[in-house]
Amino acid sequence: MNSQQENTAVSEAQQAVEERLIANVLASFEGCTDERLKQIMQALVCHLHAFIRDVRLSEAEWNQAIGFLTEVGHITDDKRQEFILLSDVLGASMQTINVNNEARGDATEATVFGPFFVDDAPLIENGGDIAGGAAGEPCWVEGTVRDLDGNPIPGARIEVWEADDEGFYDVQHADGRVYGRAHLFSDDKGNYRFWGLTPTPYPIPHDGPVGRMLQATGRSPMRASHLHFMATAPQMRTLVTHIFVNGDELLKYDTVFGVKQSLVKEFIQQPAGAPTPDSRELGETTWAKVHFDIVLAPAGS
C-alpha cells in the first residue's frame, strides 16, 4: 500500500488528532517578535508534519533519522563539513542557490559552494600557478571579469580551488599541505589568467553517513569534473560557481546537481611541446587551455 492509500485509510478522528497538534505547534510561535524567523519556523512545522503524515513515518524510522543526523554532526569538523555534503546530495544547496541568484541578463550562473573552500588561500599574480606541486595535467585558464553592460571590472578578487588528479583536495590530507587553491585579482582591463590542473571526476567523501545513505539508495558519489571559482568586487553580487569539462560523461549524473549548461566549457587539449601562452616550458607534458569570462550582476539584484 502506498502512502496516499494509507493516508486515505486514516480515520477522521485520527486526522483531527494530528491536525490539532499542528495547530498547537504553530500557535507556540505566535509570540515570536522576529517576523522572518516566525515565518520560517511555522513553514518548517507545516512541511515537516506534512512529510511525517504523508509517509506515515514510524517511530523507529524517526529514531534512525535522528541517529543519522547525530553521525553527520560527529564527523563534521573544521576540515570536513558533512552537513554541506548532505545538503548538496539532497539538492537543497542547489535549490537555495537557484532561489537566491535570480537570472540577470548575461550574468554568470551560480552553483554549489562545496565543502572544501578555505579562507586565506595563497595570493598569486596573474599568470601564476595554483597547482602547488599537485599531480595532474597543467591547464591554462584565462578570461575577463565584466559587468552586465560589458564593462571590465579591474581589481575583482577571484578565488579558485580544485582537486588533484586523484580526486583529493589539500584539506583532505592531515599534514597541512596547501595545493590546488589560490586567489588573484583581475588586471586593469579586467583580465585574469593562471595555471591550474585539468579537472578530473572524483567522488565526494563517502566514508561517512552521507556516503552510506548514497549506497543504500543506489546513488553514485561521483562529481563531474570541475574547477571552483568565487568572484567578488565592490557593488557587485558575489558569485560562487564552477566550470565543467565538456564531454565529461558525468555531466548528467553529478551527485550534487551542480551542472548548468552555461558553465560547461571546452578544455582544449594541447600536445606535448605545443607553445604555451606565457612561454612556460612543459617539456613532454600535454596540457589544456580553457577560456571563462565572468559576468557579475550588481549587488542587491
Side-chain angles (χ1 to χ4, degrees), residues 208-286:
V210 171
R212 291 197 299 276
M213 182 197 75
L214 292 177
Q215 184 177 26
T217 55
R219 285 182 53 188
S220 167
M222 294 299 294
R223 287 226 59 201
S225 308
H226 62 275
L227 170 62
H228 293 265
F229 284 79
M230 180 167 70
T232 56
Q235 301 180 335
M236 293 292 161
R237 186 168 74 188
T238 295
L239 172 69
V240 175
T241 195
H242 311 348
I243 53 173
F244 298 88
V245 179
N246 191 30
D248 186 344
E249 294 179 354
L250 290 171
L251 290 174
K252 294 182 179 180
Y253 307 105
D254 185 52
T255 197
V256 304
F257 312 100
V259 177
K260 293 185 176 181
Q261 188 56 44
S262 68
L263 302 177
V264 177
K265 303 298 177 183
E266 292 289 344
F267 283 73
I268 303 171
Q269 289 292 311
Q270 305 296 311
T276 59
D278 62 351
S279 300
R280 180 183 183 181
E281 292 293 337
L282 295 176
E284 296 304 310
T285 302
T286 62

Side-chain angles (χ1 to χ4, degrees), residues 35 39 53 60 79 83 116 118 120 148 171 194-195 198 232-233 237 239 246 254 282-283 287 290 294-295 297:
E35 288 300 318
Q39 177 191 14
R53 299 177 73 200
K79 298 295 185 182
F83 277 106
F116 296 119
V118 296
D120 302 321
L148 291 176
V171 294
F194 63 89
W195 283 101
T198 305
T232 56
R237 186 168 74 188
L239 172 69
N246 191 30
D254 185 52
L282 295 176
W287 57 285
V290 62
I294 298 170
V295 180

Side-chain angles (χ1 to χ4, degrees), residues 190-213:
N191 297 321
Y192 75 91
R193 54 206 172 272
F194 63 89
W195 283 101
L197 301 173
T198 305
T200 55
Y202 67 85
I204 63 170
H206 56 288
D207 57 341
V210 171
R212 291 197 299 276
M213 182 197 75

